[in-house]
């Protein structure tokens, strides 16, 4: 089945230690998104790619970076994670003007 | 500014009964899209149903239907014959309009409604 896959499902890292979360898709969608979701809150968009065009949200901290080497893959890099970055990170994909399809998410913990 | 409002932080429903989750929206765009997503405790976001602003009929997908009242700017989700597996957080969302016209790819989410289905 075509899908959005996020790895790993759970990630534990140390305060200040860089971490990378990955997302892949078999839907061949041209738009990919990264969201941060904290407990009992709605997802918050960090950035999205429209094809290779990177679109950063104005309030996304510089600590968060993203890479999209090809249509299928997108990575979220957190350069120096702080305790406040502990959250669920959701990847989603869509074709233009179509519903977004989400992966299962990566739950990030910071020690 | 565009906004989605979900006024019910939590809802209870008996198994096999119907339940309505409220969603109101605010936009000045003529063309927009409304979505409902389900998020179980495991965390994945599951797309349920979509309603376009120009769709004349209410959207339906199996046990899910969307009660779209354009004049009132509401897009309530109706779940018929509730099942225990329906217990989850439900988010209403709207596709953000572009200031230059047309649609962006971005979603504006409401704060969610936590639904608990009781046996």
């Amino acid at each position: 089945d075509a899908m959005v896959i996020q790895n790993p499902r759970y990630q534990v890292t140390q305060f200040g230690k860089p971490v990378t979360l990955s997302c892949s898709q078999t839907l061949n969608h041209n738009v990919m998104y990264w969201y941060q979701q904290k407990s009992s809150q709605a997802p918050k968009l960090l950035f999205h790619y429209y094809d290779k065009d990177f679109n950063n949200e104005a309030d996304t901290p510089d600590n968060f970076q993203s890479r999209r080497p090809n249509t299928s893959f997108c990575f979220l890099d957190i350069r120096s994670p702080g305790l406040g970055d502990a959250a669920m990170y959701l990847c989603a994909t869509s074709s233009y003007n179509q519903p977004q399809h989400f992966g299962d998410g990566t739950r990030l913990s910071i020690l | 500014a565009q906004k989605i409002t979900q006024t019910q932080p939590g809802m209870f429903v008996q198994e096999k009964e119907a339940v309505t989750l409220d969603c109101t929206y605010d936009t000045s765009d003529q063309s927009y899209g409304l979505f409902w997503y389900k998020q179980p405790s495991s965390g994945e976001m599951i797309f349920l149903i979509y309603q376009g602003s120009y769709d004349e009929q209410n959207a339906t997908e199996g046990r899910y239907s969307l009660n779209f009242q354009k004049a009132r700017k509401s897009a309530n989700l109706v779940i018929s014959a509730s099942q225990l597996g329906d217990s989850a957080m439900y988010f209403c969302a709207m596709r953000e309009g572009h200031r230059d016209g047309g649609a962006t790819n971005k979603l504006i989410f409401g704060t969610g409604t936590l639904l608990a289905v009781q046996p």
Side-chain angles (χ1 to χ4, degrees):
Chain A
D1 286 343
M3 54 177 35
V4 182
I5 302 166
Q6 290 189 245
N7 284 307
R9 192 74 196 273
Y10 300 91
Q11 176 75 57
V12 181
T13 191
Q14 292 179 332
F15 182 93
K17 186 174 182 181
V19 65
T20 295
L21 310 182
S22 74
C23 177
S24 65
Q25 56 136 339
T26 60
L27 298 162
N28 205 32
H29 285 164
N30 55 346
V31 193
M32 294 188 77
Y33 310 78
W34 278 105
Y35 290 87
Q36 179 193 64
Q37 187 181 26
K38 297 189 175 180
S39 183
S40 303
Q41 296 183 17
K44 177 182 180 296
L45 183 65
L46 296 173
F47 23 61
H48 74 281
Y49 277 92
Y50 189 111
D51 293 322
K52 294 184 178 181
D53 292 335
F54 177 70
N55 299 272
N56 199 30
E57 293 301 295
D59 57 353
T60 298
D62 292 340
N63 199 24
F64 291 84
Q65 304 286 322
S66 185
R67 297 169 283 137
R68 189 179 185 187
N70 53 52
T71 301
S72 301
F73 286 88
C74 195
F75 300 97
L76 170 63
D77 301 310
I78 308 177
R79 293 191 297 188
S80 182
L83 297 178
D85 298 329
M88 172 74 89
Y89 289 87
L90 294 164
C91 174
T93 74
S94 74
S95 293
Y96 184 70
N97 260 2
Q98 296 301 309
Q100 294 183 22
H101 294 269
F102 286 79
D104 289 346
T106 294
R107 205 175 289 273
L108 179 65
S109 299
I110 313 294
L111 300 180
Chain B
Q2 294 169 316
K3 188 178 179 182
I4 292 282
T5 302
Q6 294 180 256
T7 57
Q8 306 154 313
M11 290 278 287
F12 288 98
V13 65
Q14 289 292 124
E15 195 177 6
K16 299 180 186 177
E17 292 185 351
V19 63
T20 297
L21 306 184
D22 295 341
C23 173
T24 58
Y25 60 91
D26 190 14
T27 182
S28 56
D29 293 338
Q30 296 300 308
S31 177
Y32 50 89
L34 296 157
F35 305 80
W36 278 92
Y37 285 86
K38 171 185 177 182
Q39 188 175 39
S41 58
S42 50
E44 68 271 28
M45 293 279 281
I46 303 166
F47 166 69
L48 296 178
I49 196 166
Y50 166 77
Q51 180 83 43
S53 56
Y54 289 119
D55 294 341
E56 293 186 351
Q57 296 204 341
N58 287 344
T60 60
E61 288 286 348
R63 293 187 298 111
Y64 305 108
S65 60
L66 203 152
N67 185 2
F68 182 46
Q69 298 191 32
K70 197 169 181 177
R72 298 178 64 181
K73 294 190 174 179
S74 73
N76 298 339
L77 177 69
V78 181
I79 305 174
S80 63
S82 297
Q83 302 172 356
L84 296 178
D86 294 334
S87 295
M89 181 71 88
Y90 288 81
F91 288 99
C92 180
M94 178 169 62
R95 180 181 290 126
E96 185 181 83
H98 198 286
R99 61 178 178 272
D100 297 329
T104 70
N105 297 300
K106 294 163 59 173
L107 290 178
I108 301 165
F109 284 91
T111 51
T113 296
L114 184 61
L115 177 67
V117 180
Q118 297 175 320

